[in-house]
Amino acid sequence: MNQLPTVVFLDRDGTIIEDRHYLSRPEEVKLLPGAADAIARINAQLIPVIVVTNQSGIARRILTVDDHERVTRRLNELLGAQGARIDATYYCPHAPEDGCDCRKPGTLLFREAKHDHPEIDLANALYIGDKFRDLEPALTLGGQAVMIPSPETSASEIDAANARARVAPSLATALDWYLCTN
Protein backbone atom coordinates (compact mmCIF):
# COMPACT_ATOMS: atom_id res chain seq x y z
CA MET A 1 0.00 0.00 0.00
CA ASN A 2 1.30 3.49 -0.89
CA GLN A 3 1.72 6.11 1.80
CA LEU A 4 -0.17 9.27 0.94
CA PRO A 5 1.89 12.45 0.69
CA THR A 6 1.58 14.85 3.62
CA VAL A 7 1.34 17.80 1.21
CA VAL A 8 1.12 18.42 -2.52
CA PHE A 9 3.23 21.34 -3.75
CA LEU A 10 2.06 22.69 -7.09
CA ASP A 11 3.61 25.21 -9.41
CA ARG A 12 1.05 27.75 -10.67
CA ASP A 13 1.77 28.84 -14.25
CA GLY A 14 1.69 25.94 -16.69
CA THR A 15 0.54 23.49 -14.01
CA ILE A 16 -2.75 24.89 -12.68
CA ILE A 17 -3.34 27.79 -15.06
CA GLU A 18 -2.25 28.72 -18.55
CA ASP A 19 1.19 30.31 -18.56
CA ARG A 20 0.52 33.88 -19.71
CA HIS A 21 4.04 35.20 -19.01
CA TYR A 22 3.98 37.83 -16.28
CA LEU A 23 0.27 37.50 -15.59
CA SER A 24 -0.97 40.72 -13.99
CA ARG A 25 -4.66 40.82 -14.92
CA PRO A 26 -7.10 38.61 -12.99
CA GLU A 27 -9.45 38.39 -15.95
CA GLU A 28 -6.71 36.55 -17.89
CA VAL A 29 -6.51 33.67 -15.39
CA LYS A 30 -7.53 30.49 -17.22
CA LEU A 31 -7.56 27.15 -15.44
CA LEU A 32 -5.99 24.28 -17.30
CA PRO A 33 -8.46 21.53 -18.18
CA GLY A 34 -8.89 19.15 -15.26
CA ALA A 35 -6.91 21.27 -12.80
CA ALA A 36 -9.83 22.07 -10.50
CA ASP A 37 -10.99 18.44 -10.43
CA ALA A 38 -7.45 17.28 -9.67
CA ILE A 39 -7.07 19.76 -6.82
CA ALA A 40 -10.49 18.77 -5.45
CA ARG A 41 -9.25 15.14 -5.39
CA ILE A 42 -6.30 16.21 -3.26
CA ASN A 43 -8.64 18.21 -1.01
CA ALA A 44 -10.90 15.15 -0.60
CA GLN A 45 -7.92 13.20 0.79
CA LEU A 46 -7.45 15.99 3.39
CA ILE A 47 -3.97 16.64 2.02
CA PRO A 48 -2.88 20.30 1.99
CA VAL A 49 -2.39 21.87 -1.43
CA ILE A 50 0.32 24.52 -1.44
CA VAL A 51 1.30 26.59 -4.45
CA VAL A 52 4.93 27.66 -4.76
CA THR A 53 5.55 30.00 -7.67
CA ASN A 54 8.34 32.15 -9.08
CA GLN A 55 7.08 35.63 -9.98
CA SER A 56 10.09 37.47 -11.36
CA GLY A 57 7.80 39.95 -13.09
CA ILE A 58 7.58 41.73 -9.73
CA ALA A 59 11.35 42.35 -9.61
CA ARG A 60 11.28 43.35 -13.27
CA ARG A 61 8.49 45.85 -12.54
CA ILE A 62 6.21 44.21 -15.10
CA LEU A 63 3.66 43.51 -12.38
CA THR A 64 3.19 44.53 -8.77
CA VAL A 65 2.66 42.56 -5.58
CA ASP A 66 -0.95 43.80 -5.68
CA ASP A 67 -1.31 42.43 -9.23
CA HIS A 68 -0.01 39.08 -8.03
CA GLU A 69 -2.41 39.06 -5.09
CA ARG A 70 -5.38 39.92 -7.34
CA VAL A 71 -4.42 37.07 -9.72
CA THR A 72 -4.15 34.72 -6.72
CA ARG A 73 -7.61 35.76 -5.50
CA ARG A 74 -9.04 35.14 -8.98
CA LEU A 75 -7.42 31.71 -9.14
CA ASN A 76 -8.91 30.87 -5.75
CA GLU A 77 -12.35 32.07 -6.92
CA LEU A 78 -12.22 29.92 -10.05
CA LEU A 79 -11.14 26.86 -8.09
CA GLY A 80 -13.73 27.48 -5.36
CA ALA A 81 -16.51 27.64 -7.94
CA GLN A 82 -15.52 24.09 -8.89
CA GLY A 83 -15.23 22.76 -5.35
CA ALA A 84 -11.44 22.97 -5.04
CA ARG A 85 -9.14 25.02 -2.86
CA ILE A 86 -5.51 25.95 -2.38
CA ASP A 87 -4.50 25.97 1.26
CA ALA A 88 -1.56 28.36 0.94
CA THR A 89 0.46 30.20 -1.69
CA TYR A 90 4.12 31.16 -1.46
CA TYR A 91 5.85 33.22 -4.13
CA CYS A 92 9.30 34.48 -4.95
CA PRO A 93 9.25 38.07 -6.27
CA HIS A 94 12.92 38.05 -7.30
CA ALA A 95 14.60 37.86 -10.70
CA PRO A 96 16.84 34.86 -11.48
CA GLU A 97 19.96 37.00 -11.27
CA ASP A 98 19.12 38.08 -7.71
CA GLY A 99 20.49 34.78 -6.39
CA CYS A 100 17.91 34.31 -3.65
CA ASP A 101 17.07 30.96 -2.04
CA CYS A 102 13.32 31.49 -2.35
CA ARG A 103 13.32 31.26 -6.14
CA LYS A 104 12.89 27.68 -7.30
CA PRO A 105 14.95 25.54 -7.46
CA GLY A 106 15.79 27.06 -4.06
CA THR A 107 14.07 25.50 -1.08
CA LEU A 108 13.36 28.46 1.20
CA LEU A 109 9.64 28.73 0.36
CA PHE A 110 9.16 25.01 0.94
CA ARG A 111 10.92 25.26 4.29
CA GLU A 112 8.73 28.28 5.15
CA ALA A 113 5.66 26.20 4.28
CA LYS A 114 6.91 23.48 6.64
CA HIS A 115 7.37 26.09 9.38
CA ASP A 116 3.84 27.43 8.82
CA HIS A 117 2.32 23.94 8.51
CA PRO A 118 4.27 21.74 10.95
CA GLU A 119 2.17 18.68 10.11
CA ILE A 120 3.75 18.35 6.68
CA ASP A 121 6.83 16.24 6.02
CA LEU A 122 8.95 17.61 3.16
CA ALA A 123 10.46 14.16 2.60
CA ASN A 124 6.95 12.72 2.18
CA ALA A 125 5.66 15.47 -0.09
CA LEU A 126 4.63 15.44 -3.73
CA TYR A 127 6.16 18.20 -5.88
CA ILE A 128 4.50 18.86 -9.26
CA GLY A 129 5.33 21.40 -11.95
CA ASP A 130 6.00 21.98 -15.62
CA LYS A 131 9.69 22.95 -15.33
CA PHE A 132 12.61 20.96 -13.96
CA ARG A 133 13.28 23.74 -11.42
CA ASP A 134 9.84 22.92 -9.91
CA LEU A 135 11.04 19.36 -9.25
CA GLU A 136 14.52 20.11 -7.93
CA PRO A 137 13.34 20.92 -4.37
CA ALA A 138 12.06 17.32 -4.12
CA LEU A 139 15.51 16.08 -5.09
CA THR A 140 17.04 18.23 -2.33
CA LEU A 141 14.41 17.80 0.40
CA GLY A 142 13.18 14.30 -0.37
CA GLY A 143 9.72 13.47 -1.56
CA GLN A 144 8.39 12.58 -4.99
CA ALA A 145 8.57 14.80 -8.06
CA VAL A 146 6.43 14.75 -11.19
CA MET A 147 6.72 16.94 -14.25
CA ILE A 148 3.62 17.74 -16.24
CA PRO A 149 5.05 19.18 -19.45
CA SER A 150 3.46 22.32 -20.83
CA PRO A 151 4.07 23.96 -24.20
CA GLU A 152 6.80 25.96 -22.41
CA THR A 153 8.70 22.87 -21.22
CA SER A 154 11.91 22.18 -23.12
CA ALA A 155 12.92 18.73 -24.33
CA SER A 156 16.03 18.87 -22.14
CA GLU A 157 13.88 19.52 -19.06
CA ILE A 158 11.66 16.55 -19.92
CA ASP A 159 14.77 14.39 -20.36
CA ALA A 160 16.07 15.54 -16.96
CA ALA A 161 12.72 14.77 -15.34
CA ASN A 162 12.61 11.32 -16.95
CA ALA A 163 16.08 10.62 -15.56
CA ARG A 164 15.56 11.93 -12.01
CA ALA A 165 11.80 12.06 -11.36
CA ARG A 166 8.64 11.12 -13.26
CA VAL A 167 6.77 12.67 -16.17
CA ALA A 168 2.98 12.53 -16.45
CA PRO A 169 0.72 13.70 -19.26
CA SER A 170 -1.64 15.43 -16.82
CA LEU A 171 -2.14 16.42 -13.22
CA ALA A 172 -4.86 13.75 -12.97
CA THR A 173 -2.43 11.02 -14.02
CA ALA A 174 0.20 12.20 -11.55
CA LEU A 175 -2.37 12.05 -8.77
CA ASP A 176 -3.47 8.58 -9.84
CA TRP A 177 0.08 7.44 -9.09
CA TYR A 178 0.23 8.92 -5.59
CA LEU A 179 -3.30 9.23 -4.23
CA CYS A 180 -4.38 5.65 -4.85
CA THR A 181 -3.86 3.71 -1.64
CA ASN A 182 -4.48 0.21 -3.00
Side-chain angles (χ1 to χ4, degrees):
M1 183 146 77
N2 293 333
Q3 180 179 1
L4 292 173
T6 61
V7 62
V8 176
F9 289 111
L10 297 174
D11 177 51
R12 189 189 79 177
D13 304 316
T15 303
I16 302 171
I17 63 173
E18 292 179 7
D19 192 340
R20 310 283 280 187
H21 301 285
Y22 308 115
L23 180 60
S24 63
R25 300 178 61 197
E27 62 273 14
E28 293 181 356
V29 175
K30 304 283 186 244
L31 290 173
L32 289 173
D37 289 341
I39 292 170
R41 284 179 57 200
I42 304 166
N43 299 149
Q45 294 284 336
L46 304 178
I47 298 169
V49 176
I50 298 179
V51 169
V52 178
T53 180
N54 290 340
Q55 295 298 315
S56 67
I58 295 170
R60 296 172 185 189
R61 300 183 187 272
I62 297 169
L63 61 123
T64 65
V65 170
D66 185 57
D67 292 333
H68 169 73
E69 290 172 354
R70 289 183 302 118
V71 165
T72 298
R73 281 193 299 275
R74 180 64 180 148
L75 170 58
N76 291 334
E77 289 168 5
L78 291 172
L79 290 171
Q82 295 187 47
R85 77 174 182 290
I86 293 169
D87 295 292
T89 297
Y90 295 82
Y91 70 96
C92 171
H94 304 110
E97 58 273 12
D98 292 342
C100 67
D101 191 36
C102 62
R103 183 174 176 77
K104 293 180 287 182
T107 60
L108 179 63
L109 295 179
F110 298 92
R111 290 183 278 124
E112 285 182 5
K114 166 65 176 161
H115 178 267
D116 295 344
H117 305 271
E119 71 280 6
I120 67 175
D121 175 4
L122 296 174
N124 188 27
L126 180 55
Y127 301 74
I128 301 175
D130 68 319
K131 304 283 186 178
F132 192 71
R133 68 176 170 251
D134 300 324
L135 312 184
E136 288 182 83
L139 303 175
T140 301
L141 299 169
Q144 301 296 316
V146 181
M147 176 182 282
I148 300 168
S150 73
E152 303 295 317
T153 309
S154 71
S156 63
E157 287 183 291
I158 295 170
D159 290 344
N162 274 318
R164 301 189 61 202
R166 295 181 84 177
V167 178
S170 68
L171 186 53
T173 298
L175 295 178
D176 287 343
W177 296 339
Y178 294 98
L179 295 188
C180 294
T181 57
N182 298 338

